[in-house]
Amino acid sequence: NIVGNLFGAGKMFLPQVIKSARVMKKAVGVLIPFMEAEKAAKRLADPTAAETESHAGCILLATVKGDVHDIGKNIVGVVLGCNNFKVVDLGVMVPCERILDEARKCKANIIGLSGLITPSLDEMVYVAKQMEKEGFKVPLLI
């Protein structure tokens, strides 16, 4: 919130926001093994825990075809992961067909698309139209 508030107030600029995001990503990278180890220990202590362990939902994230900018997507993924969402991150330059196929496979509750450059908007519109055409009912976050 601090970085977002400073950016919104014009007291922090994009290069600083990007640097903050990179620091956050590295910090989370250090924490993830500990978080996974804690989950594994719980499963070992109670083998039925895996059956009852639940997530707040599953979100599929992808940077659309034609774009490699993923800092925003990565931040969203980290925040949702820390809030008990199962996050399926397909990476960058992901074509529409793969996004929709993977969303079906993981039974995504939400599909999140990322992109920075203007042509990405056209690809996002294409994905939205394909979702509608194929009968997807899950929310699309852009």
Side-chain angles (χ1 to χ4, degrees):
N1 285 344
I2 293 170
V3 172
N5 291 339
L6 289 172
F7 182 72
K11 295 180 180 177
M12 186 177 272
F13 301 98
L14 190 58
Q16 295 152 320
V17 172
I18 291 171
K19 187 171 185 175
S20 297
R22 287 182 179 147
V23 169
M24 181 179 169
K25 186 175 179 181
K26 284 187 180 206
V28 170
V30 170
L31 294 174
I32 285 176
F34 294 102
M35 293 164 50
E36 293 300 324
E38 184 178 336
K39 286 181 187 177
K42 285 180 182 177
R43 283 192 296 270
L44 284 174
D46 182 5
T48 62
E51 296 170 15
T52 59
E53 188 177 296
S54 66
H55 295 280
C58 177
I59 182 163
L60 181 131
L61 298 176
T63 300
V64 294
K65 181 177 80 174
D67 205 325
V68 296
H69 300 93
D70 64 351
I71 290 175
K73 172 185 65 70
N74 294 341
I75 293 169
V76 168
V78 167
V79 170
L80 290 172
C82 291
N83 284 281
N84 201 33
F85 278 84
K86 176 183 175 188
V87 178
V88 178
D89 186 342
L90 300 182
V92 299
M93 299 281 294
V94 185
C96 176
E97 299 76 31
R98 180 162 177 236
I99 292 168
L100 301 184
D101 288 345
E102 294 293 333
R104 281 189 204 92
K105 285 180 191 173
C106 74
K107 297 180 177 147
N109 301 105
I110 303 169
I111 298 173
L113 301 179
S114 173
L116 180 66
I117 58 177
T118 304
S120 299
L121 297 175
D122 294 334
E123 185 64 20
M124 291 176 188
V125 169
Y126 176 71
V127 172
K129 287 180 179 177
Q130 287 302 112
M131 286 177 66
E132 192 172 70
K133 181 178 173 183
E134 296 182 27
F136 275 82
K137 300 294 182 201
V138 298
L140 174 64
L141 301 178
I142 295 179

